[in-house]
Amino acid sequence: MADPQATPQRALRDAMGSFATGVTIVTTRSAAGEDIGRTANSFSSVSLDPPMILWSLARSSSSHAAFAEARHFAVHVLAADQDELSGRFAGKSADRFAGLETERGAEGIPLLRHCAARFECRTVYRYDGGDHVIFVGEVTGFQRSDAAPLLFHGGRYGRLVRQRATPAAPERPETLGAGNLAWLLSRSFHELRAASAEARAKLDLTDPHYAVLTLLGHRDGLPLAHVLPLASQRGAEVGRCDCAALAERGLVRMDPQPDAPDPALHLTEAGRDTLIRVVAAIRAAEADLLGRLAEEDARVLLDLLGALARSDSRGWPPALPA
Ligand SMILES: Cc1cc2nc3c(=O)[nH]c(=O)nc-3n(C[C@H](O)[C@H](O)[C@H](O)COP(=O)(O)O)c2cc1C
């Protein structure tokens, strides 16, 4: 909960920060003809008829005079991938617009591109808002795209994850279902495995053969004594005869080691080529599967699974035996 050491103002700011918002950049043109822009999350819609919005600016901002005098401004609702742009317009850069493609609105105000939405406004009211000034604008033009929005919460940027009805875990203790991670992972992995199995069958690769090739894809040059237990951890028992068969097919090379009884195993060019073909089939199936999700959701899924994968040191490829 609240940090007992925090000053009252800091505590208030933290409490306000628990209100999640989008992020905007508000732009205008100063009387001297300079392009002005600041990042603001105080944006809010006010009225539909007439169409009006508001935002507030700190009186201490070096842009205060320009916005106070401006008859027009534009609010740009940022897309999820525009966090750097937000940082740039919140920072102290001398020319925040450097390198940006802009269009021009009323009285030459700069308009940014590629945002989730954009509102061109005429300043209609200015209200005292304590250490901020509240600007109310009448919307004179707007546009929107389907881009996912950038979010801000607790001082950090975020992305949108839509609510989905979570299926209940099955009541019966002997079954798993759509409410369980294990069930969901194995169901979705099943689709990828089917593509991999098909590609392996075409290339005449058994499970043990494929296990050896993927292991060497990660750790080329492992001694045979390490290859056998590690490759067997994928599920299929891998024996010396599997490695010999791969060597016979020219997919693996067994090099004698000067100080060890066992040879070291290397992928040959043909072995690497075979592996690349299986991996390409899996990647295509993966793209197909993730293509069923919105781009943002796919990215979030990979992020979250990545966090789980990193937290488990027992994952594949496994650590070498001591
Ligand atoms: C996500 C975010 C939201 C912000 N929202 C506001 C805002 O609504 N009003 C405001 O005055 N400053 C806001 N700021 C701060 C300004 O963008 C800017 O950093 C500040 O005005 C810097 O002072 P300067 O204008 O003197 O350069 C925000 C900053 C960030 C990163």
Side-chain angles (χ1 to χ4, degrees):
M1 275 307 281
D3 173 3
Q5 304 290 317
T7 61
Q9 198 174 45
R10 178 63 209 255
L12 177 63
R13 185 195 283 247
D14 288 349
M16 286 173 167
S18 61
F19 182 60
T21 66
V23 181
T24 73
I25 291 173
V26 188
T27 59
T28 193
R29 197 168 169 84
S30 74
E34 190 194 350
D35 286 344
I36 306 287
R38 288 294 182 278
T39 300
N41 66 341
S42 51
F43 169 77
S44 178
S45 60
V46 174
S47 160
L48 279 177
D49 188 14
M52 292 162 100
I53 58 91
L54 68 75
W55 73 290
S56 66
L57 176 68
R59 288 183 186 279
S60 59
S61 169
S62 52
S63 66
H64 175 246
F67 279 108
E69 288 166 17
R71 288 193 294 188
H72 295 269
F73 63 86
V75 179
H76 305 80
V77 178
L78 298 188
D81 60 357
Q82 291 180 310
D83 48 334
E84 272 182 31
L85 203 60
S86 168
R88 186 201 289 206
F89 279 84
K92 292 289 174 198
S93 157
D95 184 3
R96 296 172 173 84
F97 291 86
L100 292 181
E101 280 179 47
T102 52
E103 296 163 39
R104 294 287 155 182
E107 296 185 344
I109 61 168
L111 303 175
L112 307 177
R113 290 187 170 156
H114 312 302
C115 300
R118 183 166 90 189
F119 301 92
E120 290 176 61
C121 302
R122 185 171 65 84
T123 310
V124 285
Y125 301 111
R126 275 187 295 271
Y127 295 111
D128 180 15
D131 57 9
H132 280 56
V133 176
I134 302 164
F135 293 93
V136 178
E138 180 177 7
V139 178
T140 55
F142 69 95
Q143 50 178 252
R144 69 172 288 271
S145 77
D146 285 332
L150 179 64
L151 302 184
F152 196 66
H153 175 258
R156 294 174 63 188
Y157 295 112
R159 289 166 186 270
L160 184 69
V161 180
R162 293 193 190 280
Q163 290 278 29
R164 230 183 281 267
T166 315
E171 295 283 313
R172 288 160 45 215
E174 68 273 26
T175 56
L176 295 173
N180 299 105
L181 180 65
W183 189 90
L184 292 168
L185 287 179
S186 78
R187 285 299 305 162
S188 30
F189 182 59
H190 179 74
E191 311 226 4
L192 299 180
R193 196 168 38 195
S196 155
E198 194 179 316
R200 278 181 284 149
K202 273 192 198 145
L203 294 163
D204 198 20
L205 281 182
T206 63
D207 280 357
H209 291 180
Y210 179 58
V212 173
L213 293 187
T214 42
L215 177 61
L216 295 180
H218 282 285
R219 310 244 184 101
D220 197 49
L222 277 180
L224 183 62
H226 285 169
V227 168
L228 298 181
L230 285 175
S232 296
Q233 283 188 22
R234 283 182 69 97
E237 187 67 28
V238 178
R240 282 172 183 266
C241 58
D242 294 306
C243 298
L246 286 169
E248 194 142 306
R249 287 176 62 182
L251 301 178
V252 160
R253 206 179 63 238
M254 293 208 205
D255 288 350
Q257 301 184 98
D259 303 323
D262 264 331
L265 267 63
H266 295 274
L267 276 181
T268 62
E269 276 306 305
R272 193 169 302 281
D273 187 57
T274 302
L275 196 51
I276 287 171
R277 283 156 76 177
V278 181
V279 169
I282 297 173
R283 287 188 182 193
E286 181 180 302
D288 197 42
L289 198 61
L290 290 177
R292 296 183 205 167
L293 302 178
E295 205 180 315
E296 280 305 306
D297 289 347
R299 198 198 299 247
V300 169
L301 175 70
L302 293 179
D303 271 3
L304 295 179
L305 288 176
L308 292 185
R310 268 192 293 278
S311 68
D312 184 358
S313 60
R314 289 168 299 162
W316 176 266
L320 282 173

